[in-house]
Amino acid sequence: MPDVLSAPLVVEFPFTRSLGPVQSAFLTGLRERTVLGVRTGDGKVLVPPVEYDPVTAEEIHDLVEVAATGAVTTWAWNQHPRRDQPLDTPFAWVLVRLDGADTALLHVLDAPGPEAVRTGMRVRVRWAEGRTGAITDIACFEPFDSEPGETSPHDGKFDEPVTGIVTPARLDYTYSPGRAQSAYLEALADRRVVGERCPSCRKVYVPPRGACPTCGVATDERVEVGPRGTVTTYCVVNIKAKNLDIEVPYVYAHIALDGADLALHARIGGIPYDQVRMGLRVEPVWTEGSRHPDHYRPTGEPDADYDAYKELV
Amino acid sequence: MRDVAIVAFAQTDHLRRTDELSEVEMLMPVLHQVLDATGLRTSGIDFTCSGSSDYLAGRAFSFTMALDGVGAHPPISESHVEMDGAWALYEAWVKIQTGEADTALVYAYGKSSPGQVRDVLTRQLDPYYTAPLWPDSVALAALQAQALIDAGDTDESALTAIATRSRAAAADNPHAQLSGEVPAGDYLVRPLRTGDCPPIGDGAAAVILAAGDTARALCERPAWIRGIDHRIEAHGLGVRELTESPSTRLAAERAGVFERPVDTAELHAPFSSQEVVLRKALGLGDEVSVNPSGGALAANPVMAAGLIRLGEAAARIHRGESDRALAHATSGPCLQQNLVAVLEGESTHA
């Protein structure tokens, strides 16, 4: 059994989200150092505000300005800040009920240590330097002794309201493909293609994933397939892919490698795009330093009979 | 309503990491175990439903890779929930209630080892106000724990005792990842210590559901699902009263938990503090055996740990160790969503 492979895998995406009227007013307000809540049908003020009453599901939109001061309703001391969290020094996670609000906002509290934090303590917003209309416009809360502040109606209108946010999300993984796929990738490094045979139906799957999708049993007998194969079906690609240095039109095909019972897919080269056909016999072309065939090209053999590959189309 | 039972249950040994196995390779042994236990073949399963998460795998449509393990060709009737497998079981139960299926295979799996599960789980939070702050799963549980301490519902030594009892119970569970003497450890996010938090690991589980006489034919003592319900609370953490779990309470009422006493409760409480909330919501007294398997504090394969609660409760009924068991599964931060089922052995069926 070869060593199991692993490689870093980063999943990163800047989620772009549009805001409804209430969220837009709230986040624009933060940019302007103003904290807005929304009043429910029974008179409660929700901060942060939502567009639908969490109890009645009624649409709500009566905005009110609440104070930038409040009290901690619960907390947790985070000795080891993690990447992307608001502060890089030890801090307290807090739920803060701002003066004038009936619900609490989740954020962080900058404090020297856990002994300086308690439920009920008074805090105020510390505003971020560069504010864009995001929850992170509140840099954090900080301890601040004050009398409860005032609440006043607010029309929610600001110049240049924020109507959307972009939330980057990055997660880091170390990906291990498991036994079957590791063996496949190891073989590719030697310019060989290996599949696995199902002990029940005897079909050879390539690339192998460790299980036969028909029988639902583990595949374990390793079988070398190819290198030659037969085009079972294909398409002509006319759209140039971003960051891909291949001239269009080109052909992408399903190829049944000799000895395999499942077609894999690859690009066809070395032949004009309009001469590729079902039954065409092809072989892989490897390029220096690549762990996959770059493309497949015609072998010059006569075309395969349809009957020879019809089960694999 | 049709009588539906859990007739077989299997789970992997839960391990910190399983680099040598892909998801389907990890899953297949438990699929074979439940099939072997019932004598069913994949072609004899009417409906298949699974629970898992792309965010754990770091890949889109990752569940399709696992489908190879159930023999998905020729085409089968299949569904997936991007959630704990307990909710896949609920979907399968509904499917059987419709009369479209008599048997169902339910499975769930999760590998937490490739990523940082504390960070991964932040991506299930409200994306406008919460997720941009990256509050990790331990931090959110710790906020709830402090609220419980402030309310006088528990204290740190009581939390340690819950964790200790769970890991001691897990000494009899060969699949557990953590068992026996586990130190309370340092604060991870205060007031929670490492001992109050679940182990991070990889694992999978599978159950087979069957209706009526089919269940009786497949299993000597089927674990009949007498009631099952799930409820959700507001997604805003600051809107909720974190020391209470009204969704658990309501789901339990609808599932019929309070009609007669239960002797066993498998609670999906990955953090020691969450058991305090659940015991209160469910009114469980000391006479009830809570998490005899060790619970999620002993093994917490994310996306499978809730289904395992149903499976463990059912297995106790299969073995005759319980007559009426409660099984609970949760999803989301601070027990946001809760599923409760009542399982009974045949002898107590009125």
Side-chain angles (χ1 to χ4, degrees):
Chain A
M1 178 164 146
D3 289 341
V4 172
L5 299 172
S6 72
L9 170 69
V10 177
V11 176
E12 193 167 20
F13 197 77
F15 285 92
T16 304
R17 300 180 184 279
S18 54
L19 304 171
V22 170
Q23 290 176 318
S24 170
F26 175 70
L27 292 179
T28 308
L30 295 185
R31 190 189 67 196
E32 307 302 326
R33 300 181 179 231
T34 299
V35 187
L36 299 182
V38 67
R39 199 180 293 280
T40 65
D42 62 357
K44 284 202 167 118
V45 175
L46 308 182
V47 179
V50 291
E51 273 138 8
Y52 295 90
D53 187 313
V55 177
T56 65
E58 269 180 78
E59 190 172 348
I60 47 178
H61 40 67
D62 291 340
L63 297 169
V64 288
E65 182 175 352
V66 300
T69 56
V72 170
T73 65
T74 186
W75 62 283
W77 185 258
N78 190 27
Q79 185 64 36
H80 304 288
R82 300 173 75 78
R83 190 188 75 192
D84 300 321
Q85 291 181 345
L87 294 172
D88 55 15
T89 51
F91 63 83
W93 289 102
V94 282
L95 281 166
V96 175
R97 188 180 297 135
L98 291 170
D99 298 329
D102 294 293
T103 61
L105 172 79
L106 178 75
H107 220 290
V108 305
L109 172 71
D110 188 9
E115 62 289 338
V117 186
R118 60 182 174 78
T119 297
M121 76 182 285
R122 299 283 302 163
V123 296
R124 73 172 170 190
V125 170
R126 181 192 296 165
W127 296 105
E129 293 281 326
R131 294 182 305 283
T132 59
I135 192 65
T136 45
D137 288 354
I138 297 175
C140 61
F141 283 89
E142 58 191 16
F144 183 70
D145 272 324
S146 65
E147 292 302 308
E150 296 291 307
T151 302
S152 54
H154 195 287
D155 64 8
K157 301 256 188 296
F158 297 94
D159 289 339
E160 297 176 47
V162 176
T163 58
I165 58 170
V166 178
T167 313
R170 176 187 167 129
L171 294 169
D172 286 73
Y173 302 86
T174 302
Y175 181 66
S176 295
R179 178 195 55 80
Q181 293 182 92
S182 286
Y184 173 75
L185 293 168
E186 292 279 8
L188 279 183
D190 298 333
R191 301 194 170 184
R192 292 183 299 113
V193 179
V194 297
E196 284 187 349
R197 191 187 303 279
C198 172
S200 175
C201 70
R202 308 300 293 162
K203 277 189 176 168
V204 172
Y205 291 96
V206 57
R209 294 209 295 255
C212 172
T214 301
C215 305
V217 298
T219 55
D220 48 11
E221 183 191 339
R222 204 155 293 151
V223 179
E224 188 159 339
V225 297
R228 294 185 168 190
T230 301
V231 171
T232 63
T233 186
Y234 64 94
C235 64
V236 179
V237 180
N238 282 291
I239 299 167
K240 197 164 170 57
K242 202 175 169 183
N243 303 325
L244 194 62
D245 189 24
I246 299 172
E247 287 307 311
V248 293
Y250 65 88
V251 173
Y252 211 69
H254 275 190
I255 298 163
L257 293 178
D258 296 345
D261 291 293
L262 191 74
L264 47 69
H265 45 89
R267 185 168 63 90
I268 303 294
I271 180 174
Y273 74 91
D274 56 357
Q275 291 179 26
V276 175
R277 54 203 181 266
M278 290 172 75
L280 181 70
R281 295 285 295 161
V282 293
E283 64 187 2
V285 177
W286 300 83
T287 50
E288 197 58 41
S290 169
R291 293 197 66 155
H292 285 275
D294 179 71
H295 64 274
Y296 283 73
R297 68 181 172 208
T299 63
E301 294 168 278
D303 286 3
D305 282 340
Y306 179 65
D307 282 348
Y309 62 87
K310 67 180 181 185
E311 298 296 328
L312 303 178
V313 175
Chain B
M1 296 280 271
R2 302 183 77 191
D3 284 340
V4 177
I6 296 175
V7 296
F9 166 59
Q11 62 183 317
T12 56
D13 291 344
H14 305 293
L15 303 168
R16 178 62 187 89
R17 44 189 338 116
T18 53
D19 293 344
E20 72 287 4
L21 299 175
S22 67
E23 275 97 342
V24 68
E25 288 166 346
M26 179 175 75
L27 183 61
M28 227 166 348
V30 297
L31 296 174
H32 292 164
Q33 279 176 46
V34 290
L35 290 167
D36 290 348
T38 54
L40 287 169
R41 298 165 63 89
T42 50
S43 57
I45 298 288
D46 296 332
F47 182 61
T48 298
C49 198
S50 62
S52 67
S53 171
D54 282 356
Y55 278 83
L56 277 183
R59 291 200 315 283
F61 292 100
S62 57
F63 76 94
T64 60
M65 305 288 278
L67 276 178
D68 286 348
V70 296
H73 181 82
I76 60 171
S77 174
E78 180 271 340
S79 185
H80 174 260
V81 297
E82 189 75 10
M83 218 164 163
D84 190 285
W87 275 263
L89 182 145
Y90 185 88
E91 182 177 338
W93 177 83
V94 170
K95 186 81 169 182
I96 294 176
Q97 291 301 332
T98 66
E100 287 187 33
D102 290 330
T103 55
L105 172 63
V106 179
Y107 63 89
Y109 62 92
K111 288 180 70 162
S112 294
S113 61
Q116 298 290 323
V117 72
R118 287 173 70 180
D119 299 329
V120 167
L121 291 177
T122 65
R123 301 301 91 191
Q124 69 183 338
L125 302 169
D126 151 52
Y128 302 97
Y129 303 152
T130 311
L133 305 174
W134 293 79
D136 60 279
S137 48
V138 179
L140 294 173
L143 285 168
Q144 188 172 34
Q146 184 64 42
L148 288 163
I149 291 169
D150 287 337
D153 288 342
T154 192
D155 57 37
E156 289 190 30
S157 62
L159 295 181
T160 301
I162 289 170
T164 302
R165 192 209 74 233
S166 298
R167 273 84 183 235
D172 295 328
N173 178 353
H175 305 288
Q177 187 177 338
L178 280 187
S179 65
E181 301 264 331
V182 175
D186 296 330
Y187 287 119
L188 203 50
V189 179
R190 184 171 172 171
L192 294 181
R193 298 171 183 274
T194 50
D196 293 307
C197 302
I200 295 170
D202 302 349
V207 307
I208 288 178
L209 299 183
D213 287 341
T214 306
R216 293 184 187 94
L218 295 175
C219 179
E220 199 170 314
R221 191 170 194 251
W224 298 103
I225 300 171
R226 295 298 180 212
I228 185 167
D229 196 278
H230 60 113
R231 300 284 157 165
I232 182 171
E233 293 171 39
H235 74 252
L237 282 170
V239 174
R240 292 164 50 190
E241 174 51 72
L242 293 180
T243 61
E244 308 284 344
S245 185
S247 55
T248 299
R249 176 87 191 173
L250 184 57
E253 278 172 17
R254 300 298 176 106
V257 169
F258 305 120
E259 290 167 12
R260 275 195 310 286
V262 296
D263 53 46
T264 302
E266 278 287 340
L267 305 181
H268 186 191
F271 296 93
S272 59
S273 44
Q274 293 177 339
E275 184 179 305
V276 177
V277 180
L278 293 171
R279 276 180 178 268
K280 192 164 60 159
L282 294 165
L284 298 177
D286 291 339
E287 71 286 0
V288 179
S289 175
V290 173
N291 287 346
S293 66
L297 282 162
N300 188 43
V302 176
M303 297 295 144
L307 180 63
I308 290 170
R309 305 282 71 77
L310 286 143
E312 289 280 12
R316 275 176 77 81
I317 288 173
H318 295 161
R319 295 194 298 261
E321 294 166 4
S322 169
D323 290 322
R324 191 166 197 265
L326 178 158
H328 160 269
T330 195
S331 186
C334 301
L335 302 171
Q336 187 191 8
Q337 315 190 39
N338 295 286
L339 180 149
V340 177
V342 177
L343 305 177
E344 287 182 358
E346 193 90 71
S347 58
T348 60
H349 182 31

